[in-house]
Amino acid sequence: MMSRQAFLCSLGSLYLSLLFVFLLMDVYARPANNSALKEKLVDTKDENEILPPDHLNGVKMEMDGHLNKEFHQEVFLGKEMEEFEEDSEPRKNRKKLMVIFSKVDINNDKKISAKEMQRWIMEKTDEHFQEAVEENKMHFRAVDPDGDGHVSWDEYKVKFLASKGFNEKEIVEKIRNNEELKIDEETQEVLDNLKDRWYQADNPPPDLLLNEEEFLSFLHPEHSRGMLKFMVKEIIRDLDQDGDKKLTLSEFISLPVGTVENQQAQDIDDDWVKDRKKEFEEVIDANHDGIVTMEELEEYMDPMNEYNALNEAKQMIAVADENQNHHLELEEILKYSEYFTGSKLMDYARNVHEEF
């Protein structure tokens, strides 16, 4: 008969064996689980890919009239922006920033001029443009399954409503039979706004069909002068309180931020107003007459405006130009890394001499 000690040893061995089996099962199950999660994320992305993005890279103002807080990083880093994460190792980010500095400094004089920064900003903006063009090819295929090179508003509406959970076959049938679609008020409002935008993207002669280039303008209005005008009109419409199709400073800073509930929220609101006031007076209002016209706002919003790029370059240099020589040295960019990259580097002065 088995002793109590032998029984406990046997039981322990069995437990360890079972634990090992479960661990193996878990390890082999993980790839499938990760794959399923990845498929879920892809599906979510597929649902949103036919919608115009809320944020446009390299454009100074969002489509809802808010300032683009990441603009400086977007036009300084381009595609490298994703690599500068807050939790990244400072030493690695420092090296990346040094590489970027050497690329911007095309005459290799160890300092960056406004002209060099302007060239770099235009290059990074074009990089965002090319990325949008490549993504648009994929997105256009999603709404043009028959591959005829054109998409009608009804075809797009079907895909949009399907992405919102509506039955695609039922929607197609109802549209074909001119039956009323039962759509909630919020979805209908979005659909109406998209329809206005769709018609604006339909270049002359209007045929109510969008080709791939027109669809790019629909998703990315910054790629089209006509759509840029339309986007500016929408922003002014939202902010213009007296209907004169111009913006005063008070109108520009009156866009609600949120309900102020405490001192911290009040400070956030105060900073928000201060930022908008500075942008209005120093940048957008080009002739400094206290009024922003549609033309001024359009020039401000145009990401490929060379004068704007030069003005932006001068402003970016001024932020970190501690020795007031109107150029940027590597030490200055490293010290103000949070402004240029969104990533704060520690011990920049000591490390720059060690690595550069």
Side-chain angles (χ1 to χ4, degrees), residues 56-67:
L56 302 174
N57 287 325
V59 179
K60 297 200 73 173
M61 187 180 289
E62 309 287 6
M63 286 184 284
D64 61 2
H66 284 78
L67 299 179

Side-chain angles (χ1 to χ4, degrees), residues 101 110 320 322 328-337 348-349 352-353 356:
F101 180 90
K110 306 302 180 186
E322 290 196 338
L328 283 182
E329 279 78 31
L330 179 59
E331 289 89 343
E332 291 171 329
I333 281 188
L334 290 173
K335 183 173 181 179
Y336 289 87
S337 63
Y348 71 92
V352 66
H353 297 296
F356 193 71

